[in-house]
Every structure is written in C-alpha cells, then in structure tokens.
Amino acid sequence: MSHDPEPFALADEAAAVLADRTGVDTHDVVLVLGSGWAAAADGLGDIVADVPMDELPGFPAPTVLGHRNSALSVRVGDTRALVLGGRAHLYEGHTASTCVHGIRTAIAAGCTEIVLTNAAGGLNPDWPVGQPVLIADQLNLTGASPLAGPAPPPDRPIRFTDLTTAYSTRLRALALEVDPTLPEGVYAGLLGGAFETPAEIRMLAGLGADLVGMSTVLETIAARHLGAEVLGISLVTNAAAGLGDEDLDHEDVLDAAAEAGPRMLALLRGVLERR
Ligand code: HPA
C-alpha cells in the first residue's frame, strides 16, 4: 500500500479490512509464525477465512523463505485466533513500525494475547536442535524501537512502556501445563541479515542471552505498549555460531523447524485450549 498514515491509524484501518475480509468482527489471540513454523499452524482448528496478508493495508508480502502470505482466522474451541503466516523484519529494510504493524492490527482487531514464535540459534549447549524454549525476557539489540518517533496519538498509551514483565508469567505457566519440560531463556533480538560471528555469540553469552534471532523483540515492545499479554516461543533450529559442528544455513533452519512441526502444533493448540 503506497500511503503511509500514522501507524496506529493504519493499524485501525487494517483491522477494519481484516474484519470485513474474514467476516470475524473481533479476534481474541494472534499467533505470529516464525521461519518454518507455518506447518505448525496446520491442524490448529477450523479455518474460517484465509486472507492474503499483503491485501491488508500496511502489510508487506513476506519475502522470507519459510513464511506464508496468509492471515488465517481460525476457530479453536471458543477462541477466535488470528494466525499470521509470516512477519516483516528490519533486515528486509522495513521500519520498526512496519515490523510491528501485524501486532498493532491484531490488537486493534481485539486481540489481548499475542503468541510470538520464531526460529533461533541456541547458546545453551544443553538444548538440542528442535528444542522449543519459552522466552522469559529479551535483549533488544536492534538499535530500533517501535516507540521511537512521533509520540503515540492521545487515544493510546504514552510511549514509556514498562517492560519489567514483558513476557507473561500467566501464559508461560499455561505453556508449562502443556509441556512441563519446556526450558526458559533470554532472547537476544538483532538486526540480522547475516547470522552472527562466533565473537558476537561470545559477547551475547556474556550479556545473558540464551537464544539469538532477528525478530520478536520489537513486536513484544509494541504489544506491551498496548497492554496485550505476550507469550514468546523460540524453536532452537541450530547451535549459535561457533558453538556447534555445522556452518549456519537457512535451509537447515527450515528443516529443523519442519521436523519439530507436530510438537509445536500440539504446544500451540494446548495453549489456545487453556487460555
Ligand atoms: N542466529 C540468528 N537468527 C537465527 C538463528 C541464528 O543462529 N537461527 C535461526 N534464526
């Protein structure tokens, strides 16, 4: 879409189009699917509508292999879930506003719970490839923020958002009911583009990171700004650079995610059933 109105107004506009195109006035929870997670959504529930994401105002088509250009409205029991098959990243050249537009749209559409999934490199040597990890906290190392720029409009909260409990303890507890073996960790979100160097991974370990990736952190900030609860789940698709035997490769990331698909589906379904 060519015009660029103020980002919160654009989210309201996208939510109106979403309601119109799906025939669903409000959604309860949004799931954002990271690289390779798309298959985890198949079988989540009854698909009520499937709208190409790039037909919603302000949504770019996903360019990253392993993402789908699809916004699904899915019924899971009593829950009306919005499932976004991909996301925009800073490394694609998108602004922070565009990266969080899906979240702001979902919240404008009624969502009070946000489930962010991603593929991540693991810094904890105990975590095998295919290990899902609950995000307990984050390091936003992108240098960007969705709350930088013009002040939010008067009908939204001011920008100085409390991130003390960015990732909901309540939703993490629900995920642990589904799978009590899930570990927790700190996710470091970087600009990305390239994977990290081993020196950067040693630095991140020193900073307290357990997981490293190129998404999620801006979306979490945008969601907390608007008061939504966030559940973050990383799928460890590789040992972080220099920690494993293999070179890093996006295809391997996707293969690892595809293999974990059934486990991820069960986890997402279980959370949605308990919320
Ligand atoms: N680094 C950054 N992003 C990633 C990685 C990684 O090792 N694996 C999957 N996404």
Side-chain angles (χ1 to χ4, degrees):
M1 305 285 151
S2 57
H3 63 317
D4 184 23
E6 177 283 298
F8 295 94
L10 186 59
D12 289 344
E13 187 186 330
V17 175
L18 181 75
D20 185 49
R21 292 288 304 271
T22 59
V24 179
D25 281 349
T26 39
H27 285 86
D28 306 307
V29 44
V30 60
L31 277 75
V32 180
L33 301 179
S35 289
W37 277 77
D42 295 335
L44 206 53
D46 297 327
I47 297 177
V48 177
D50 183 353
V51 181
M53 268 204 293
D54 62 352
E55 293 182 13
L56 299 172
F59 281 74
T63 67
V64 183
L65 208 63
H67 289 74
R68 279 186 198 168
N69 181 29
S70 168
L72 296 177
S73 181
V74 182
R75 187 92 192 191
V76 188
D78 290 339
T79 295
R80 293 153 303 179
L82 175 65
V83 182
L84 301 179
R87 55 156 61 93
H89 305 83
L90 290 171
Y91 65 73
E92 295 173 89
H94 295 305
T95 62
S97 280
T98 299
C99 293
V100 304
H101 180 59
I103 298 307
R104 286 179 174 154
T105 298
I107 293 170
C111 294
T112 54
E113 290 154 33
I114 314 290
V115 181
L116 301 173
T117 69
N118 60 50
L123 279 76
N124 184 332
D126 295 337
W127 295 339
V129 167
Q131 174 72 57
V133 180
L134 297 177
I135 302 179
D137 204 349
Q138 73 178 28
L139 298 164
N140 174 14
L141 302 176
T142 64
S145 168
L147 298 177
D155 60 341
R156 312 285 159 124
I158 62 163
R159 73 176 95 220
F160 300 112
T161 302
D162 179 16
L163 295 174
T164 309
T165 314
Y167 292 91
S168 160
T169 38
R170 185 184 76 84
L171 293 178
R172 269 186 279 157
L174 291 189
L176 285 169
E177 278 180 27
V178 181
D179 183 349
T181 71
L182 289 176
E184 296 193 340
V186 173
Y187 177 92
L190 278 65
L191 169 62
F195 290 116
E196 301 71 36
T197 63
E200 287 165 344
I201 293 302
R202 287 192 296 275
M203 174 189 76
L204 293 174
L207 295 177
D210 303 298
L211 301 154
V212 60
M214 311 175 191
S215 68
T216 304
V217 292
L218 304 182
E219 292 155 281
T220 294
I221 292 168
R224 296 303 298 140
H225 170 237
L226 297 175
E229 286 182 282
V230 179
L231 177 66
I233 312 172
S234 286
L235 178 67
V236 175
T237 53
N238 55 277
L243 300 181
D245 307 329
E246 303 210 18
D247 290 349
L248 303 192
D249 181 80
H250 187 59
E251 288 291 341
D252 295 343
V253 167
L254 296 183
D255 288 348
E259 202 157 312
R263 185 174 180 195
M264 298 304 95
L265 170 62
L267 176 57
L268 293 176
R269 236 189 124 107
V271 169
L272 290 180
E273 284 164 359
R274 282 168 177 76
R275 61 174 283 279

